[in-house]
């Protein structure tokens, strides 16, 4: 999976849990996700030399379980759902029977051990299982100083080449000389890489690392240019063109108001209508004292 995916984008622990869970189902020995999480949780505490504490079934556990399920789907998608692997263990026994060395238990066990150790390398994704089986037998025979047919070479009978066998043997031997990796140091390096990638993305988008837009980019969107500060605006005189435009606009609006006020409504101009109404009101007001004075109307 990590031949094509990055350790920075995908958590190593989540993917390893998903691979163990997937392998248990493929090999017809299924285990629950909770069991896998418990084992990884205990191993982490032992590796950090802490006292193992039972895992709390809280929301964090639910999120971790969902992450493992998603990681399992990603692994299956990347493998193209081709999960059935041809194991070379049976091939080793068959090849030793052809070489008439199956009674040498020491040779059989050493070849088997090299085969198990080679699972920790990448030879299984690079070479055919027949070549790996021949390389394990070849390495075990050289280690135990047991002669095998070499005229012609015995591995040519099984379709393996000398170059492939030497490369596989070197890869297995490098496993024993490699230094033990400190997981905490590796995780800290990955976290630094993540932060560096996030900062690079933020700079590409024009954002500072905190996610706030930079002031240099927003200066172009300001409605007032930089050279027109409030102090400078007070000291400067307004240009004559905008003032003349405002005067013309006022004249047009005043002319429109005058024409609208002089327009006739129902055949009577507004001025005459208002005068007639005011006169009728004055007459009504003048009649009211005379009415109130006469006793008949009372």
């Amino acid at each position: 999976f990590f031949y094509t995916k990055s350790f920075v984008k995908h958590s190593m622990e989540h993917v390893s849990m998903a691979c163990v869970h997937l392998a248990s189902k493929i090999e017809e020995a299924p285990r629950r996700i909770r069991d896998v999480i418990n084992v990884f949780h205990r191993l982490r505490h032992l590796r950090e030399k802490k006292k193992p504490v039972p895992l709390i079934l809280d929301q964090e556990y639910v999120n971790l379980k969902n992450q493992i399920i998603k990681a399992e789907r990603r692994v299956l998608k990347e493998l193209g759902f081709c999960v059935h692997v041809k194991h070379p263990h049976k091939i080793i026994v068959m090849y030793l029977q052809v070489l008439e060395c199956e009674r040498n238990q020491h040779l059989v066990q050493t070849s088997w051990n090299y085969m198990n150790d080679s699972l920790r390398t990448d030879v299984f994704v690079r070479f055919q299982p027949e070549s790996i089986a021949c390389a394990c037998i070849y390495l075990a025979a050289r280690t135990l100083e047991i002669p095998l047919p070499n005229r012609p070479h015995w591995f040519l009978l099984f379709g393996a080449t000398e170059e492939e066998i030497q490369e596989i043997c070197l890869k297995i031997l490098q496993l024993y000389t490699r230094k033990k990796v400190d997981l905490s140091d590796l995780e800290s390096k990955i976290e630094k890489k993540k932060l560096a990638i996030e900062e690079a993305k933020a700079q590409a988008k024009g954002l500072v690392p905190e996610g706030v837009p930079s002031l240099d980019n927003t200066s172009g969107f300001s409605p007032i240019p930089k050279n027109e500060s409030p102090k400078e605006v007070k000291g400067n005189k307004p240009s004559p063109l905008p003032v003349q435009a405002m005067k013309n606009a006022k004249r047009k609006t005043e002319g429109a108001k005058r024409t609208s006020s002089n327009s006739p409504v129902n055949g009577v101009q507004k001025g005459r209508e208002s005068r007639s109404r005011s006169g009728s009101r004055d007459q009504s007001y003048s009649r009211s004292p005379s009415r109130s004075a006469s006793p008949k109307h009372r």
Side-chain angles (χ1 to χ4, degrees):
F1 175 76
F2 283 113
Y3 251 64
T4 57
K5 299 298 180 182
S6 172
F7 285 105
V8 179
K9 295 182 180 179
H10 302 276
S11 174
M12 296 181 293
E13 193 171 17
H14 294 170
V15 175
S16 57
M17 291 183 190
C19 290
V20 172
H21 179 60
L22 179 60
S24 66
K25 292 189 288 187
I26 293 170
E27 296 298 330
E28 297 182 359
R31 294 291 184 271
R32 296 183 302 174
I33 298 180
R34 180 176 176 179
D35 298 336
V36 178
I37 294 175
N38 285 332
V39 171
F40 273 79
H41 178 73
R42 180 178 176 82
L43 290 176
R44 174 175 280 275
H45 280 272
L46 294 175
R47 185 171 56 250
E48 295 175 356
K49 297 180 181 179
K50 297 180 181 179
K51 184 179 179 180
V53 181
L55 186 64
I56 301 174
L57 303 180
D58 54 356
Q59 186 62 34
E60 186 177 355
Y61 165 79
V62 176
N63 296 336
L64 177 60
K65 187 175 180 180
N66 294 332
Q67 289 294 329
I68 294 172
I69 294 172
K70 292 179 181 179
E72 182 183 4
R73 293 174 181 172
R74 293 192 190 100
V75 171
L76 286 171
K77 181 181 178 181
E78 196 63 33
L79 297 177
F81 291 86
C82 298
V83 294
H84 294 285
V85 183
K86 187 178 181 180
H87 295 287
H89 294 81
K90 295 180 181 179
I91 302 175
I92 286 180
V93 177
M94 183 180 66
Y95 287 177
L96 289 173
Q97 289 176 354
V98 174
L99 294 171
E100 297 180 356
C101 298
E102 73 277 4
R103 295 182 180 180
N104 191 341
Q105 294 295 327
H106 201 21
L107 177 61
V108 174
Q109 187 63 48
T110 305
S111 303
W112 196 277
N113 295 339
Y114 280 131
M115 176 62 63
N116 291 333
D117 293 342
S118 63
L119 291 169
R120 298 180 59 189
T121 64
D122 60 349
V123 296
F124 280 88
V125 296
R126 297 173 56 195
F127 302 98
Q128 295 295 326
E130 292 81 7
S131 301
I132 300 172
C134 292
C136 292
I137 296 173
Y138 178 87
L139 186 59
R142 294 291 296 270
T143 304
L144 300 174
E145 297 181 354
I146 298 174
L148 293 176
N150 58 357
R151 293 183 180 179
H153 289 291
W154 59 273
F155 48 79
L156 297 176
L157 179 64
F158 306 118
T161 61
E162 189 174 359
E163 291 79 10
E164 289 181 350
I165 288 177
Q166 289 180 358
E167 189 173 356
I168 295 171
C169 291
L170 288 174
K171 201 68 178 179
I172 295 174
L173 291 174
Q174 287 176 1
L175 184 65
Y176 306 115
T177 58
R178 190 174 62 187
K179 294 182 180 180
K180 190 176 180 180
V181 180
D182 187 5
L183 187 59
S184 59
D185 184 27
L186 187 60
E187 289 177 347
S188 63
K189 289 181 180 179
I190 291 175
E191 288 296 328
K192 290 180 181 179
K193 288 285 186 181
K194 286 182 180 179
L195 292 176
I197 292 173
E198 290 178 359
E199 289 179 0
K201 288 182 179 179
Q203 291 178 0
K205 293 180 179 179
L207 303 175
V208 293
E210 290 79 11
V212 181
S214 60
L215 296 177
D216 296 337
N217 294 333
T218 56
S219 61
F221 297 97
S222 176
I224 301 175
K226 287 184 177 180
N227 57 358
E228 294 183 4
S229 61
K231 293 181 181 179
E232 293 176 355
V233 171
K234 288 181 180 178
N236 296 334
K237 293 182 180 180
S239 61
L241 294 176
V243 175
Q244 188 66 27
M246 291 292 292
K247 289 182 179 180
N248 295 335
K250 286 182 180 180
R251 290 174 182 174
K252 289 180 180 179
T253 53
E254 289 177 359
K257 288 181 180 179
R258 289 174 182 175
T259 53
S260 61
S261 62
N262 295 330
S263 62
V265 179
N266 295 329
V268 181
Q269 292 185 355
K270 285 187 176 180
R272 296 179 181 178
E273 185 181 1
S274 61
R275 289 176 185 175
S276 60
R277 288 181 180 178
S278 62
S280 60
R281 287 176 184 174
D282 295 339
Q283 291 177 0
S284 62
Y285 290 151
S286 62
R287 289 175 184 174
S288 58
S290 61
R291 288 180 181 178
S292 60
S294 61
K296 292 180 181 181
H297 290 286
R298 285 182 184 177

